[in-house]
Amino acid sequence: MPYLTGTTPITASTDLRPGLGVPGYAHPLLAPAEWGELTRPGTPVHWVVLNVADGPGARPDPHCLQAAGMLHNAGVRVLGHLDAAHLGAARLDAARGARSFGEVISEAQRYLDWYRVDGFFLDRCPTERAALPEIRRTITTLRALRDKAHIVLGHGTHPHPGYAECADQLVTFRGSWSDYRWSQVAEWTADYPPDRFCHFVHGVPLGHLDEALRIARWQGAATVWFTDRTDRGGRADPWEAMPGYWDEIVSRIGTGVSE
C-alpha cells in the first residue's frame, strides 16, 4: 500500500508479523540479562530503542556498542532515541525550533556513527496538525542520513492522521492497563494495516495478558510492549526492566496474537 510524504508516494518499509517493540531497557551495564534475552533465537522482537543518556551521549559507550552489535547480529532493528518534544515549536519560536531541529539531527548522526542504528524513535512526538510540517522535515532529513531508516513516532496517543503518511509506525497508546482496557481506537486507523501501529502498556497482570493481546488485535496494533511493571504513580520507569512474564509473552506473541 503506498503512503504519501508531501506529494511523493513512498512504500512503507514495515512488513511485520505481530511482535514486540522495546521502548528501551535500563543501561546494558545495569541490565545485561534483559538485553541478552532480546537476542534469544525465536524471540519476536521488531525493534529495540537504544537510549544511552537521554540520547546518544557525548561519546561512544562500550556497553551500548556491545549490546547494539549483539542485536544487529541477531537481526533485530536498533532505533536511536530522539526527543521530539520541541520540534513542533518551530512555527511559534523560530530560533528555538531551529536549534532543536539541529540538535536532533546532530544526535541522530552520532547514533549512526557510533551505533549503526537502523532507524529512530522520536519520543514525545507532537500530535497536532500544526507541528506536522516540522516533523515531516525532520523525518525527511533522517531518511537522507540513513537510507531506509525505520521511523517510529512515540506520540503515546492518537495524533492527527497526517502523521501516518510520513512514518513507518506510530505509538498510538502508552499508559496503564487500567486505561488501556477501556481505550477506544481512532476510526481513521482502519485505513492502515496493523503493522503501522504500536501500543505500550504497563501494569498488565499475567492473568490479563491474553485480554491485552486481544485488545491490540481488535484495535489493529501489530507491535506491542506489555509489562507487569508499573510507574509507581509516575515515580518509576515501567519500561526499563523485563516483564515478569517474559517467557509467557514471548510464547504467546511468537505464535500470533491471541484471537
Side-chain angles (χ1 to χ4, degrees):
M1 175 178 179
Y3 300 94
L4 298 178
T5 301
T7 59
T8 304
I10 64 171
T11 301
S13 65
T14 310
D15 183 15
L16 304 175
R17 296 175 60 84
L20 299 168
V22 184
Y25 281 145
H27 190 280
L29 180 62
L30 302 176
E34 281 86 344
W35 287 90
E37 278 293 318
L38 298 177
T39 62
R40 188 170 69 180
T43 304
V45 180
H46 289 164
W47 42 259
V48 180
V49 176
L50 179 64
N51 188 1
V52 181
D54 292 326
R59 61 185 60 83
D61 183 299
H63 301 285
C64 292
L65 283 168
Q66 181 180 19
M70 291 173 57
L71 290 167
H72 282 131
N73 292 337
V76 177
R77 282 190 180 112
V78 179
L79 306 183
H81 178 278
L82 301 173
D83 189 345
H86 299 300
L87 287 172
R91 295 296 178 265
L92 303 176
D93 184 339
R96 184 178 62 177
R99 188 163 59 248
S100 179
F101 173 83
E103 289 172 353
V104 168
I105 299 306
S106 176
E107 289 185 352
Q109 187 64 65
R110 296 205 297 276
Y111 269 119
L112 289 167
D113 291 343
W114 298 342
Y115 303 107
R116 295 173 42 244
V117 295
D118 305 290
F120 301 96
F121 180 85
L122 275 62
D123 199 9
R124 302 201 298 168
C125 188
T127 60
E128 65 275 10
R129 184 175 183 175
L132 184 54
E134 191 67 9
I135 297 300
R136 184 181 287 116
R137 172 195 179 202
T138 301
I139 292 173
T140 299
T141 305
L142 293 175
R143 292 196 189 282
L145 294 177
R146 207 292 188 189
D147 187 39
K148 297 182 180 179
H150 189 84
I151 306 295
V152 180
L153 302 183
H155 305 286
T157 188
H158 290 96
H160 182 276
Y163 286 91
E165 299 174 355
C166 58
D168 292 291
Q169 294 185 286
L170 313 180
V171 179
T172 53
F173 184 92
R174 175 167 46 193
S176 68
W177 166 241
S178 59
D179 290 334
Y180 187 60
R181 65 188 313 188
W182 303 111
S183 63
Q184 300 291 325
V185 67
E187 291 185 5
W188 64 261
T189 62
D191 294 333
Y192 298 89
D195 60 17
R196 304 287 280 183
F197 302 106
C198 318
H199 291 170
F200 298 161
V201 189
H202 61 77
V204 181
L206 174 58
H208 290 277
L209 182 56
D210 285 335
E211 181 184 353
L213 290 169
R214 285 195 296 271
I215 292 172
R217 181 180 179 85
W218 292 336
Q219 294 196 6
T223 301
V224 299
W225 185 252
F226 296 147
T227 180
D228 51 351
R229 312 297 181 182
T230 69
D231 67 354
R232 299 179 185 176
R235 299 188 304 276
D237 181 354
W239 321 119
E240 66 179 4
M242 181 182 298
Y245 42 63
W246 175 250
D247 289 338
E248 288 84 353
I249 194 169
V250 167
S251 176
R252 284 165 167 80
I253 294 182
T255 56
V257 176
S258 179
E259 292 289 347

